[in-house]
Amino acid sequence: MFGAAVGFVLSYAVPSRYNRGPEARWWERARRVSSRIFGRFDEDGGPRPITDGEYAGRFDADLDTVENRLYADGFIRNPMARLKTRDDIPEDGSWVYRDSPLAPRQIHFMLFENDDGTTAVYAHAELSSVHPLCGPRHFGGVGQSVREGVECAREWYELDTSAATTEPPDGSWNQTS
């Protein structure tokens, strides 16, 4: 519950673009450092490889454009999220959509900038990491649905899905499909 409370304060107590929006890219550097430190003490706190099942598609736009669009659509940065890696390279952005600050569920987008200037989107739906009653179960992966998150991303945005290689699992990212 303490972690959820900290996440809530970090996400909603300072409601500015410089804390929650595209200008808050400094959070990504902080997440890279803290994730590696936490990973030394708890494997579940350290970086984890993104899975093929979480791949929602590709925006034909650069990272700055995508982040500005997500923010305009109600997404905010997700500073407390566990760092994801793709081929050992850390994600470029972690964004979350909640219907309200205390919504019980959230859609989580993980962004990776591609060499060709496009942006890959990986996604899952899960219990809110900042809701005090849901936070502890969130960190255990309870109620996570990769399929729900991927489907939301594909419904909400026109993504190129031609590089998708697998069906997203209905459960957690570490579940086989």
Side-chain angles (χ1 to χ4, degrees):
M1 271 207 239
F2 177 74
V6 169
F8 184 86
V9 169
L10 290 174
S11 296
Y12 295 102
V14 185
S16 77
R17 290 178 65 94
Y18 299 99
N19 186 53
R20 303 174 0 160
E23 292 82 2
R25 191 159 290 150
W26 61 271
W27 272 121
E28 302 309 328
R29 288 186 300 277
R31 288 179 56 241
R32 289 175 185 186
V33 171
S34 63
S35 186
R36 286 185 170 80
I37 291 169
F38 292 139
R40 292 181 183 153
F41 302 102
D42 181 357
E43 182 179 312
D44 290 336
R48 80 153 171 93
I50 200 78
T51 64
D52 290 342
E54 292 172 285
Y55 182 72
R58 184 186 76 214
F59 274 106
D60 287 326
D62 64 22
L63 183 65
D64 289 335
T65 302
V66 171
E67 289 188 330
N68 277 291
R69 179 163 182 200
L70 291 178
Y71 187 68
D73 290 345
F75 280 78
I76 61 172
R77 280 213 191 266
N78 197 13
M80 298 293 285
R82 182 178 182 186
L83 186 71
K84 313 308 182 291
T85 61
R86 183 177 69 176
D87 300 324
D88 294 322
I89 298 170
E91 67 191 303
D92 294 300
S94 177
W95 289 81
V96 67
Y97 179 85
R98 299 180 188 99
D99 289 333
S100 69
L102 288 176
R105 291 192 62 76
Q106 63 187 25
I107 303 295
H108 185 181
F109 282 11
M110 291 83 42
L111 307 178
F112 292 85
E113 193 166 28
N114 296 320
D115 292 338
D116 63 0
T118 62
T119 304
V121 180
Y122 293 77
H124 52 249
E126 58 196 343
L127 291 172
S128 174
S129 60
V130 301
H131 189 293
L133 300 178
C134 300
R137 290 181 293 150
H138 162 90
F139 293 106
V142 174
Q144 187 180 84
S145 173
V146 172
R147 178 172 292 137
E148 181 185 350
V150 168
E151 287 175 354
C152 281
R154 291 174 179 172
E155 287 172 15
W156 295 351
Y157 297 101
E158 191 171 318
L159 300 174
D160 178 347
T161 60
S162 61
T165 60
T166 185
E167 287 295 314
D170 191 35
S172 178
W173 60 270
N174 59 2
Q175 176 182 351
T176 57
S177 48

